[in-house]
């Protein structure tokens, strides 16, 4: 079945959310809409709508003008077997000792790796993005240096790749939280597929706002692979919830944004331990002094 997408951008989150709500009132209406901060440091937001029928171009133009947005770009998407497509495109990824693969590549697992299975149908957060592989590499580096962690949290866990990696290294349960209920469901499915039920606990929460996270704190290792804005906003909470001498591994940071994130965490008593670039993205490991 052919589907249609309509995309625009604008500079204000509130206006973007208002435009997204108005999109839902169109006839024919979208079967889904979304608002996303564009990860290029511009501070702009993308508004998207997904349609089963061709949207009304005139109505889209009027909405864009009334909300101060760029004109909508409408694209026709032919019927595609997306799982088969992703399987073709996503080769296994190695990051330090970790090997991320789909079920179709199970015969390619090297003997000397810690394998984590992320199937194509759950493809976001597979490790192909520089932010995820950067966090896995930082974790591998800390383990190689002789660090061990007994109380780990993954904030904004997505597919729970990072939480599962930590659970494969150390025996204590890892808490993995995300504000998105779909991400939490995906994380739980991945945990089950990898035989880590009871070892990774998936929680729907914003930041550290769940009682289970509050009771478990302070953590000696915290992952946060999100975006620069939320990372800076979370810095005080990270300081309160990270144990003395504990570590945070931070990513979702464009290279030019890294200094701002470092400064925010230094203000909370963290010192830089490592800083590495993976393409256009930076991964930071920082220790609470």
């Amino acid at each position: 079945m052919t589907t249609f997408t309509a995309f625009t951008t604008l500079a204000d989150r509130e206006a973007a959310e208002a435009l997204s709500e108005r999109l839902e009132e169109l006839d024919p209406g979208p079967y889904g809409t979304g608002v996303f901060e564009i990860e290029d440091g511009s501070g702009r937001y993308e508004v998207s709508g997904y349609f089963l029928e061709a949207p009304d171009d005139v109505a889209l133009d009027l909405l864009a003008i009334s909300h101060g947005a760029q004109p909508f770009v409408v694209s026709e998407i032919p019927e595609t077997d997306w799982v088969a497509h992703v399987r073709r495109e996503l080769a296994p990824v190695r990051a330090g000792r970790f090997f991320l693969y789909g079920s179709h590549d199970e015969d390619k697992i090297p003997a000397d790796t810690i394998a984590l299975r992320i199937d194509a149908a759950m493809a976001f957060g597979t490790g192909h993005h520089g932010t995820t592989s950067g966090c896995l590499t930082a974790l591998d580096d800390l383990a190689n240096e002789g660090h061990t962690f007994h109380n780990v949290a993954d904030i904004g866990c997505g597919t729970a790749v990072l939480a599962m990696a930590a659970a494969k290294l150390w025996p204590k349960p890892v808490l993995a939280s995300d504000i998105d209920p779909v991400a939490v469901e995906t994380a739980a499915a991945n945990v089950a597929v990898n035989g880590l039920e009871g070892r990774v606990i998936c929680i729907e929460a914003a930041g550290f706002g769940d009682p289970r996270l509050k009771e478990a704190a302070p953590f000696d290792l915290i992952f946060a692979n999100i975006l620069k804005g939320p990372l800076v906003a979370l810095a005080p909470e990270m300081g309160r919830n990270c144990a003395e001498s504990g570590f945070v591994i931070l990513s979702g940071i464009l290279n030019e944004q890294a200094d701002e994130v470092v400064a925010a965490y230094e203000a909370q008593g963290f010192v830089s331990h490592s800083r590495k670039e993976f393409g256009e993205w930076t991964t930071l490991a920082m220790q609470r002094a």
Side-chain angles (χ1 to χ4, degrees):
M1 178 175 62
T2 300
T3 57
F4 299 83
T5 61
F7 294 92
T8 186
T9 63
L10 64 173
D12 178 77
R13 174 184 283 276
E14 186 174 342
E17 292 174 346
L19 176 54
S20 177
E21 292 179 5
R22 291 293 306 280
L23 266 181
E24 296 177 359
E25 300 173 3
L26 291 181
D27 185 16
Y31 66 85
T33 62
V35 177
F36 307 96
E37 184 175 4
I38 301 172
E39 298 178 357
D40 62 359
S42 67
R44 295 185 65 81
Y45 293 84
E46 178 184 280
V47 177
S48 54
Y50 305 89
F51 297 81
L52 298 178
E53 301 177 51
D56 185 328
D57 290 336
V58 174
L60 288 176
D61 287 342
L62 291 173
L63 282 179
I65 292 170
S66 65
H67 288 78
Q70 294 294 314
F72 276 93
V73 176
V74 178
S75 301
E76 182 176 339
I77 310 298
E79 184 174 2
T80 303
D81 184 343
W82 287 109
V83 171
H85 174 77
V86 171
R87 285 179 174 175
R88 289 194 300 270
E89 295 296 322
L90 294 187
V93 171
R94 186 160 184 170
R97 71 191 71 194
F98 302 104
F99 184 82
L100 278 65
Y101 71 100
S103 57
H104 55 290
D105 285 319
E106 199 152 7
D107 59 338
K108 299 177 183 178
I109 301 173
D112 61 341
T113 61
I114 294 175
L116 294 167
R117 173 177 155 183
I118 306 293
D119 281 325
M122 301 174 179
F124 65 95
T126 58
H128 289 75
H129 200 281
T131 61
T132 309
S133 57
C135 289
L136 289 170
T137 301
L139 175 62
D140 184 64
D141 290 343
L142 290 175
N144 287 336
E145 293 167 11
H147 296 284
T148 59
F149 301 102
H150 306 287
N151 194 18
V152 180
D154 183 3
I155 305 300
C157 65
T159 54
V161 165
L162 305 178
M164 292 191 295
K168 289 276 190 176
L169 290 177
W170 301 291
K172 295 296 178 90
V174 177
L175 299 183
S177 71
D178 202 289
I179 195 171
D180 182 353
V182 175
V184 176
E185 291 178 9
T186 300
N190 286 328
V191 167
V193 163
N194 285 276
L196 291 169
E197 290 170 299
R199 299 277 307 286
V200 177
I201 312 302
C202 301
I203 299 168
E204 184 181 340
F208 295 88
D210 186 275
R212 287 166 288 183
L213 289 162
K214 294 176 180 178
E215 290 169 8
F219 299 96
D220 51 11
L221 175 63
I222 303 172
F223 297 103
N225 180 16
I226 39 182
L227 289 171
K228 185 264 294 183
L231 282 175
V232 171
L234 270 175
E237 277 194 86
M238 296 284 262
R240 290 191 294 270
N241 287 281
C242 184
E244 291 184 11
S245 301
F247 285 84
V248 294
I249 294 176
L250 312 174
S251 198
I253 310 161
L254 290 166
N255 296 334
E256 61 269 22
Q257 298 171 339
D259 287 342
E260 184 178 349
V261 177
V262 168
Y265 281 75
E266 287 178 341
Q268 302 302 321
F270 290 91
V271 296
S272 292
H273 182 79
S274 68
R275 174 173 172 167
K276 293 184 178 180
E277 294 184 359
F278 297 82
E280 61 181 336
W281 301 94
T282 291
T283 296
L284 303 170
M286 302 190 73
Q287 185 174 23
R288 187 159 176 255

